[in-house]
Each structure stands twice: as structure tokens, then as C-alpha cells.
Amino acid sequence: TDHSSLVHGAVIGMDNEGVLLCARGQRGKSTLTVLSLFKGAEYVSDDYLVLEKDKDGNIFASPIYSIITLSPFMTEKMKDNLVGAKKLGENARKDKYVFNITSKHNQFRKNYPIKMLMFPEIVEDEEPYIREATAAEKGRAITQLIHSTTSQMSDTVDKTVTLKIIKMVSDFPCFYFGLSKDVNKNSDYLINFMKSKKQ
């Protein structure tokens, strides 16, 4: 609709304050989001979601399905967390496994308010870090959100989709997230960051 858009991204949050992770595929969004879910965060989606703007200009995210997706590598790495999860098969691109994780559905959210953007990138640092994004980094975050969305949905020539997404997300504060090689450190750091924003 004029006030909603399907996007390829991820949303995780804490106490009704959502973080929209903006990055192309294979950049660690699903791993970060799903691990954060396992550690107690509120979860909307790690893959596709709907962004919708209300009459007051607030943006809300909703999932289009209640599953999680993980690469085969991360599935093996997270197998202890996936005890009880039902493997449903593979996604359409055949690059991820799809799981029903009913035991965590109490943490799944819809119509979840977005409060910030986050631009995750894998860095060489031993420890993860989050800082305010520069204007250029925020531009890259939004560009990657749009590119990932349009390329996966074959809307590459539809300028209305691009402009609609830009209008929806451009006013949010944006943070750069330097991801270490340690995925558990990354999810712990994100959860602590979200908690600190509530204080």
C-alpha cells in the first residue's frame, strides 16, 4: 500500500523498542537476530517483514511468517539452541534452513515499533562495538536495505518502492555495529545496548 512495504531486513527489540538491521544478505543479520532471540530479546523477523507507517508517522514492523532461517554453517554452530526446533526444509534460494521454533513464540512480535536503524558489518576487531553512524554509513545502511529488498523481490526498476522505503526510514537514528568473529559476543553486546537505551 502507499503506507506499507515488504522489505528484506531483520527486526529485534527489547521492551517494545525495535531495531531494524539494514544489510545485504549473508552479512550476519539472521545469526545476530536469532541468537538475540535465544537470549531473551523480542523478535519480529530475521528475513522478510512488513514496514507500515501509521497516521502519526510512526513505523511498525510485522513478520510475514513465524519461523527462523539459518545458514547450514550457523545451524551447526547453534545446534544446542535449536533443540526442540522443527526443521521445515530450505528457503527458496536454497541457502538457508527453515525452522519452526514454537518454544520461542512468546517472544515473537507483530506491529512492533521501530526506534532505530543499525548497520552491521563484520570487522577485524576482537570485540564488537556500536557507535553512532556517520551520514555516509547511514546512507550505506539505507542503500543496502533497499538493494537487498529490490533485488530479492525483482523490483529493481520500481522507483516508487525505493522512494517509499527511504521516506519510511530516513528519519531514524542510525548506529554502526562492528561485528566481531565471535557471534555470541555480538548478540550479547546488542542485547546490552538495547537494555542501555531503555535506562
Side-chain angles (χ1 to χ4, degrees), residues 20 22 116-121 129-142 169-170 172-178 193 197:
L20 172 61
C22 306
M116 69 185 80
L117 309 180
M118 193 162 287
F119 182 36
E121 280 192 321
Y129 61 89
I130 295 175
R131 59 167 170 74
E132 279 191 49
T134 64
E137 288 164 346
K138 182 174 183 178
R140 285 172 58 207
I142 294 172
V169 303
S170 60
F172 285 113
C174 184
F175 296 88
Y176 180 90
F177 192 173
F193 177 81
K197 286 292 178 185

Side-chain angles (χ1 to χ4, degrees), residues 66-190:
S66 55
I67 50 89
I68 61 171
T69 59
L70 290 170
S71 69
F73 175 75
M74 288 313 303
T75 297
E76 178 61 26
K77 209 163 183 179
M78 282 196 228
K79 62 184 176 185
D80 290 343
N81 298 104
L82 292 168
V83 173
K86 182 179 178 184
K87 185 177 174 183
L88 302 176
E90 296 179 329
N91 64 354
R93 297 185 307 273
K94 306 291 186 193
D95 62 348
K96 289 185 177 181
Y97 296 140
V98 177
F99 293 91
N100 179 329
I101 189 153
T102 308
S103 64
K104 296 289 185 183
H105 278 180
N106 64 318
Q107 293 166 239
F108 282 51
R109 299 290 184 265
K110 62 181 180 179
N111 299 322
Y112 198 71
I114 301 298
K115 298 299 181 181
M116 69 185 80
L117 309 180
M118 193 162 287
F119 182 36
E121 280 192 321
I122 298 169
V123 295
E124 294 301 320
D125 300 62
E126 292 291 323
E127 300 295 326
Y129 61 89
I130 295 175
R131 59 167 170 74
E132 279 191 49
T134 64
E137 288 164 346
K138 182 174 183 178
R140 285 172 58 207
I142 294 172
T143 298
Q144 288 197 18
L145 178 69
I146 291 166
H147 179 266
S148 185
T149 298
T150 56
S151 64
Q152 300 224 25
M153 299 179 195
S154 303
D155 284 335
T156 50
V157 295
D158 189 344
K159 292 180 182 175
T160 59
V161 172
T162 298
L163 292 172
K164 182 166 52 173
I165 295 172
I166 290 171
K167 285 180 181 177
M168 282 185 159
V169 303
S170 60
D171 289 337
F172 285 113
C174 184
F175 296 88
Y176 180 90
F177 192 173
L179 300 173
S180 73
K181 299 290 194 297
D182 187 326
V183 294
N184 279 296
K185 282 185 179 179
N186 295 337
S187 56
D188 289 342
Y189 199 89
L190 177 57

Side-chain angles (χ1 to χ4, degrees), residues 19-37:
V19 178
L20 172 61
L21 297 165
C22 306
R24 294 188 182 97
Q26 308 298 323
R27 300 296 172 95
K29 291 192 307 294
S30 291
T31 300
L32 181 62
T33 308
V34 171
L35 262 177
S36 297
L37 164 68

